[in-house]
Every structure is written in C-alpha cells, then in structure tokens.
C-alpha cells in the first residue's frame, strides 16, 4: 500500500528500512525521503515505523 504518494513510498519499504536499521521516523525520512513534500503521510508513516520497531 502506498503511504507517501508524493514520493511513491509503500508501507513495505518503510518496514524494510526498519529491518535494515532505521530506528525512528527521522531515520526513515533521511533514508527514503518519506514525508519530505506535503507531509500528509507523516502520521501514518510514523505509526508504521513504531509498529515495525515493536515487532523486532
Ligand atoms: Fe508523503 Fe506528500 S504524501 S510527502
């Protein structure tokens, strides 16, 4: 599912980034560029990051 339409980033890409070592929304923002344009995806992306971290 697309989370960030501006950058074309999916929830799978965000989960993969956490698997590869991202530890915060800030890390995912830096590596993928999620929420770097309109910002509307920020809350959803953050929730996915948190959920992924709690599964690790
Ligand atoms: Fe992610 Fe716009 S939808 S920055």
């Amino acid at each position: 599912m697309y989370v960030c339409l501006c950058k074309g980033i999916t929830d799978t890409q965000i989960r993969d980034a956490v698997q590869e070592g991202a530890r915060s929304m800030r890390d995912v923002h830096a590596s993928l560029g999620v929420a770097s344009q309109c910002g509307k995806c920020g809350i959803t992306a953050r929730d996915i990051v948190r959920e992924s971290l709690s599964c690790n």
Side-chain angles (χ1 to χ4, degrees), residues 3-6 35-41:
V3 173
C4 178
L5 294 178
C6 292
S36 61
Q37 288 190 22
C38 77
K40 284 182 185 165
C41 58

Side-chain angles (χ1 to χ4, degrees), residues 15-32:
R15 290 180 216 283
D16 286 349
V18 173
Q19 284 292 324
E20 289 164 13
R23 284 295 167 261
S24 64
M25 180 61 191
R26 183 184 297 244
D27 290 347
V28 175
H29 174 85
S31 62
L32 296 179

Side-chain angles (χ1 to χ4, degrees), residues 27-55:
D27 290 347
V28 175
H29 174 85
S31 62
L32 296 179
V34 69
S36 61
Q37 288 190 22
C38 77
K40 284 182 185 165
C41 58
I43 291 174
T44 303
R46 186 197 62 200
D47 287 348
I48 294 169
V49 170
R50 286 184 180 169
E51 180 194 303
S52 302
L53 286 170
S54 67
C55 292

